[in-house]
Amino acid sequence: MERVMKLFWPLVAVLCAVAFGFVTGAFNPGEKVNGLWLVVAAACFYVLAFRFYGRFLACRVVELNNERVTPAHRLYDGINFYPANKYVLAGHHFAAIAGAGPLLGPVLAAQFGYLPGFLWLVIGAVLAGAVQDFIILVASIRRNGRSLPEIARDEVGVITGMATAVAVLFIVVVALAGLGLAVVNALYRNAWGTFTIAMTIPIAFLMGFYLQKFRPGRVGEVSVLGVTLLIIAVMAGRAVAQSDFAGWFYFERQTLVWLLAGYGFVASVLPAWMLLVPRDYLSTFMKVGVVALLAIGVIVLAPPIEMPALTQFIHGGGPIIPGTMFPFVFITIACGAISGFHSLVSSGTTPKMIERESHAIVGYGAMLMESFVGVMALIAAGVLIPGDYLAINTILSSDALGAMGFSVGRIQELSRLVEVDVSGRPGGAVSLAVGMASIFAGLPGMANLMAYWYQFALLFEALFILTTIDAGTRVARYLVQEMGGRLYLPLLRINWWPGVIASSAAVVGAWGYLIHTGSISTIWPMFGAANQLLGTLALCVGTTVLIKMGKARYLWVTAVPMLFVGAITLTGSYELFYLFVGKAASVGGPGQALSLYVDAALVGIVALLAVIVLMDSARWWYGYLVQGTPYTTSEVLVYSGEASVAGSRPIVGDGINIPPGRCC
């Protein structure tokens, strides 16, 4: 077996290299690239990265050790802290981090061609996004499951901690509002989709009680039960939508906004095992299943990628994204390669449920899975004729697109097949659904079901996004309680019900109001930049954590991606700032101008906070690494059989001095 594995990995590496040769045009440069090669190149790259780079990070950089007792055991309360089954945990973590970004970002970035987005998705995820998620998850596990702002405050200082906290809370609220807006736009006046999404809630309750109370530990049984009920709900949705009961699930936009806010509130207040974790675990089956089915469809059909590797819009002036390829392709793909939002999940719900330290590798693997979702979304957009892709994602006429060199081909036929007029529906969701439906309809026996697959794809997107709403709201609630606890001490107790209810209500009220007023639609373009800036901050905090672990020789692991992501995102923020200011000066209405000025101010504030954190951190790094300044760490280490905890211990260089007694 050992000899087989020694031969297996070189073969995977060779196949990966060959696939990348076809994707980049090194082989057969004059021909269209087959979608199959994108799947093969990405899959091989992820497998190699997880096996070698992921293991290097786990064994050499952070040295995962199952003898350490995790917060799930030490701080067990059965609500927020409890050891979850590793498969359920993996499902929850993946569902929580995989929101709209990997679905819509790559679709919109396809404007520049398929190649820039593909390379950033696979390389960025392996060297930046997955590293950030994993390092922050381990740092939080070893600090009682504390959040990123709290870790920043403890490990770097008050200035960085405050700047990170403000930036994080702002970005979380905007992110939840943007994700919620996508769900509302997909489900309003859509009884089929609303029914199926609604049914996942009682199914999740049943799964939660089944696994926690009725049949503890029977993950296989509850998985079969949940998947079976989910399939029934999806199939029954169409029948319900065509029945007299359709009105029960047919909502206007504003009603759906407050129903969504109500769900976010309940999910953030109830014990995690009751609704949040089983629902995310259930959603993961649908997410992974659909993506796997899409990959199989690409492998079986081997569709050609109609989108060229590079388009004329790499120099700017595109009808979807007006900026140049650098830096806007990196900003547009807001989550598939690196996402600051992930660091909040990695320091929010997941570290409180890790049963053993070795399970923390889920932080690296889940990011690779999300990146693969982004690759599949890019392929689904790429199989469309470029003119049709632009006709869906812009409101430009066919003549205007033809004048740009992108003739509209099958847009009328596509609208007839899906039974919906799909032209002039920007945002990425509709073009992704059309591309997915086209692939699924090409499978044997599916030719007449394209309308069904289109609706199913929209449902898939809504479910994908909604699972981030519940986990994100809970994480935001933790942040509000931690920040508020500086002023009112009882708020620091995350199980204190008045604080739980008040903080949850404040969070859902903020993002619910933004969706209700519609103002978030003007803020969404800057979310990508803000999200990447948060990723830069997370890598910055991770660099400090490595120094205080005595791992200065491995600083390149976090410092290199931090510098790269920081450079491109600060550049993008600079361009966005002047883009918003320029648009505000040219619009007619004072209300719209004010919104654009607010957007510009928010971009500038977040960029300024990022610069403050980077400069403050660099000052401390110089002291630790060059001047030999002694430092302390908030790391908490408890080994099996020990009764004491080490916290706030002084460290000089690589030596670790653990004093006796409990931590404060």
Side-chain angles (χ1 to χ4, degrees), residues 291-516:
V291 172
L293 182 60
L294 189 61
I296 292 172
V298 172
I299 293 173
V300 172
L301 299 176
I305 302 298
E306 299 292 341
M307 186 69 67
L310 298 171
T311 69
Q312 65 198 52
F313 304 126
I314 60 174
H315 304 296
I320 302 174
I321 305 165
T324 58
M325 182 182 72
F326 181 92
F328 282 95
V329 72
F330 303 96
I331 295 173
T332 304
I333 302 177
C335 297
I338 182 172
S339 169
F341 185 82
H342 292 190
S343 66
L344 307 183
V345 178
S346 293
S347 61
T349 54
T350 303
K352 298 175 176 63
M353 298 183 290
I354 293 283
E355 182 180 15
R356 308 173 69 190
E357 265 208 355
S358 61
H359 296 174
I361 195 65
V362 69
Y364 193 85
M367 181 64 226
L368 300 185
M369 290 176 62
E370 175 173 322
S371 179
F372 188 68
V373 172
V375 170
M376 297 312 302
L378 181 64
I379 293 173
V383 298
L384 298 175
I385 296 173
D388 294 343
Y389 161 83
L390 292 175
I392 296 173
N393 284 292
T394 68
I395 57 175
L396 297 176
S397 66
S398 298
D399 293 338
L401 292 173
M404 292 182 179
F406 295 94
S407 299
V408 177
R410 301 178 58 223
I411 195 67
Q412 298 299 326
E413 181 185 358
L414 291 173
S415 297
R416 178 181 58 81
L417 290 173
V418 301
E419 302 175 10
V420 175
D421 183 9
V422 297
S423 61
R425 292 175 177 260
V430 172
S431 58
L432 173 60
V434 171
M436 291 175 62
S438 300
I439 294 173
F440 289 144
L443 295 173
M446 299 291 178
N448 298 321
L449 298 177
M450 188 163 174
Y452 179 91
W453 283 117
Y454 173 76
Q455 292 290 344
F456 181 78
L458 286 179
L459 171 65
F460 161 74
E461 294 176 45
L463 187 61
F464 217 115
I465 297 167
L466 199 59
T467 51
T468 306
I469 294 290
D470 47 30
T473 301
R474 197 178 193 92
V475 169
R477 189 254 287 183
Y478 294 153
L479 293 173
V480 170
Q481 287 190 257
E482 288 179 348
M483 294 174 65
R486 301 288 178 183
L487 301 176
Y488 186 60
L489 195 59
L491 281 174
L492 287 175
R493 305 203 315 265
I494 62 175
N495 292 333
W496 185 56
W497 279 104
V500 169
I501 293 173
S503 57
S504 296
V507 171
V508 299
W511 60 256
Y513 175 78
L514 288 175
I515 304 175
H516 180 72

Side-chain angles (χ1 to χ4, degrees), residues 204-286:
F205 272 117
L206 176 60
M207 293 175 63
F209 278 94
Y210 191 97
L211 193 60
Q212 194 76 12
K213 303 294 185 182
F214 307 150
R215 302 275 286 176
R218 303 301 178 94
V219 178
E221 293 179 12
V222 80
S223 300
V224 172
L225 174 65
V227 172
T228 302
L229 292 176
L230 179 62
I231 293 173
I232 293 174
V234 172
M235 296 178 64
R238 191 170 192 178
V240 170
Q242 296 173 351
S243 70
D244 295 335
F245 298 102
W248 294 11
F249 303 95
Y250 188 88
F251 298 111
E252 294 297 328
R253 185 177 181 276
Q254 302 304 334
T255 304
L256 204 57
V257 167
W258 297 118
L259 287 174
L260 182 63
Y263 166 76
F265 175 81
V266 172
S268 67
V269 168
L270 290 178
W273 63 263
M274 190 178 294
L275 176 60
L276 177 70
V277 173
R279 191 185 185 285
D280 288 354
Y281 180 60
L282 176 66
S283 301
T284 297
F285 277 104
M286 185 173 181

Side-chain angles (χ1 to χ4, degrees), residues 556-572:
W556 55 270
V557 166
T558 52
V560 172
M562 176 196 71
L563 293 174
F564 179 76
V565 176
I568 60 176
T569 312
L570 287 174
T571 302

